[in-house]
Amino acid sequence: MSKIFITRKIDDAVIAELKASFDVEVWDSEEVAVPRDVLLKHAKECDALLTMLSDQVDEELLSVAPHLKVVANMAVGYDNVDVEAADKAGVIITNTPDVLTDTTADLVFALMLATARRIPEAADFIRQGEWTSWSPYLLAGRDVHHKTIGIIGMGKIGQAVAKRAAGFDMNILYHTRSRKTEAEKEFGAQYKNLHDLLEKSDFVLVLAPLTEETRGMIGYEQFRQMKKSAIFLNVGRGPVTDEEALIEALKNDEIAGAGLDVFEKEPISPDHPLLSMKNVVAVPHIGSASEETRYAMMKLAADNIKSVLENGRPLTKVSL
């Protein structure tokens, strides 16, 4: 019977479905990542792994996994996986696209509104008993409607954000590897080079995947190109942004604020400088974190494993 190791506790119904056909072991914690030595031990024996973004699937792991046929990564991104090494080893890598598109786009808007309208700051203000009177500029933030959003990375999530931005009567700019004419027609989005997008946008949103080309693409120079009133948002991958440059831009009032779902190093340290800034809204990589969507991601990852082990055909294969 084929063996499967799941690197985090997931929904019992999904586990039960796999157990009906396979020998399944689960790292029995939802919050604590599986230790590296435990992961390597199971990799030596398993035909399939169901992994999280915190699990490194690299040459070391692949070299000790002679039976491994498939790694189902429970995420759209797969920067934790050496896809080239897996391909050489004959291991199929799958991800979970599409099922989290709208949920992540919702989080983008929640983060944008929370940052622009100073929602966390206002919530703390009232809880701490500081609200004693009304004044014209009490916790005044910035409007989102009729402003310009610049989307860096116009994939499916970017287009879902553009759809929501159109409902807010926003002017939509975007920068990506290839033009998205359907988004231009449907939402009035305008393709711009990166410099023009940064210069013209009131909200700069990063949704680009992490690659060698995108790593550190938003740094000191890029922050200096933004409006002083701009709000920077990253819901893609943390290392796409140079965090030191972001901190300096915020300290020097080169930009007005930031809303962040991802960071260079995760989990972020509680004493990180970004977390002490009132104009920063930071959340712990929860872009896809709705109950419905996380279940759909678990189910798709499990279905990928089942399909590969039973008939050799993945549902959502990651290709080089």
Side-chain angles (χ1 to χ4, degrees):
M1 183 180 287
S2 295
K3 291 185 176 182
I4 301 169
F5 180 59
I6 301 174
T7 67
R8 203 69 65 94
K9 189 179 187 321
I10 61 173
D11 195 280
D12 289 340
V14 177
I15 295 171
E17 187 173 336
L18 288 173
K19 281 186 173 181
S21 304
F22 308 105
D23 179 2
V24 180
E25 285 195 54
V26 183
W27 174 247
D28 197 26
S29 174
E30 184 178 342
E31 297 178 354
V32 179
V34 62
R36 178 69 173 178
D37 60 330
V38 175
L39 177 57
L40 291 174
K41 174 181 174 293
H42 282 283
K44 291 176 183 178
E45 306 167 352
C46 283
D47 300 276
L49 295 172
L50 196 160
T51 56
M52 311 292 139
L53 276 173
S54 54
D55 305 316
Q56 293 300 313
V57 179
D58 51 18
E59 281 193 88
E60 180 190 24
L61 183 148
L62 293 163
S63 69
V64 300
H67 310 295
L68 193 60
K69 298 178 179 67
V70 57
V71 175
N73 206 44
M74 205 186 96
V76 171
Y78 44 88
D79 42 277
N80 60 310
V81 180
D82 187 333
V83 180
E84 186 174 351
D87 188 60
K88 289 178 182 176
V91 176
I92 294 169
I93 306 298
T94 70
N95 63 343
T96 58
D98 304 330
V99 295
L100 51 68
T101 298
D102 283 319
T103 300
T104 305
D106 284 352
L107 189 277
V108 168
F109 253 80
L111 199 55
M112 181 160 58
L113 288 164
T115 308
R117 296 298 304 273
R118 301 170 65 182
I119 301 299
E121 191 180 347
D124 288 342
F125 184 85
I126 198 169
R127 284 197 183 95
Q128 293 164 6
E130 296 181 39
W131 188 24
T132 58
S133 67
W134 184 90
S135 62
Y137 281 109
L138 176 66
L139 289 161
R142 289 174 166 79
D143 283 331
V144 171
H145 63 84
H146 294 92
K147 294 295 182 72
T148 297
I149 184 171
I151 304 171
I152 302 170
M154 196 63 149
K156 291 181 179 179
I157 296 171
Q159 291 176 61
V161 170
K163 181 178 181 180
R164 287 154 176 76
F168 276 69
D169 294 314
M170 297 185 83
N171 180 36
I172 303 162
L173 310 180
Y174 76 97
H175 176 77
T176 197
R177 286 181 299 180
S178 55
R179 291 185 66 161
K180 305 294 182 183
T181 54
E182 64 273 23
E184 294 176 12
K185 291 175 183 175
E186 189 169 357
F187 311 120
Q190 303 171 59
Y191 178 82
K192 298 289 182 182
N193 63 44
L194 185 58
H195 178 274
D196 286 349
L197 180 147
L198 296 173
E199 195 174 63
K200 297 177 186 300
S201 297
D202 299 297
F203 298 90
V204 175
L205 167 63
V206 173
L207 288 170
L210 179 60
T211 66
E212 287 310 307
E213 290 74 30
T214 64
R215 187 181 295 274
M217 73 180 291
I218 306 297
Y220 291 96
E221 181 182 349
Q222 287 71 36
F223 285 116
R224 283 194 291 267
Q225 291 169 17
M226 296 180 197
K227 297 179 180 180
K228 289 188 179 294
S229 59
I231 288 175
F232 175 74
L233 305 158
N234 191 355
V235 187
R237 285 291 182 267
V240 173
T241 304
D242 181 334
E243 271 182 15
E244 288 300 321
L246 172 58
I247 291 166
E248 287 302 308
L250 290 163
K251 282 182 177 178
N252 297 332
D253 297 322
E254 290 175 350
I255 61 172
L260 307 169
D261 184 43
V262 292
F263 307 90
E264 278 189 353
K265 184 179 179 182
E266 297 180 0
I268 189 172
S269 169
D271 60 358
H272 194 288
L274 286 169
L275 302 187
S276 66
M277 298 179 176
K278 285 188 175 182
N279 56 347
V280 173
V281 177
V283 294
H285 205 145
I286 58 169
S288 62
S290 72
E291 292 181 5
E292 300 90 339
T293 293
R294 286 288 168 85
Y295 180 84
M297 292 168 70
M298 294 172 192
K299 182 73 167 59
L300 180 54
D303 287 347
N304 266 299
I305 288 174
K306 195 168 187 287
S307 185
V308 170
L309 294 183
E310 289 183 345
N311 57 48
R313 293 195 298 271
L315 304 176
T316 53
K317 182 182 179 181
V318 173
S319 299
L320 286 170

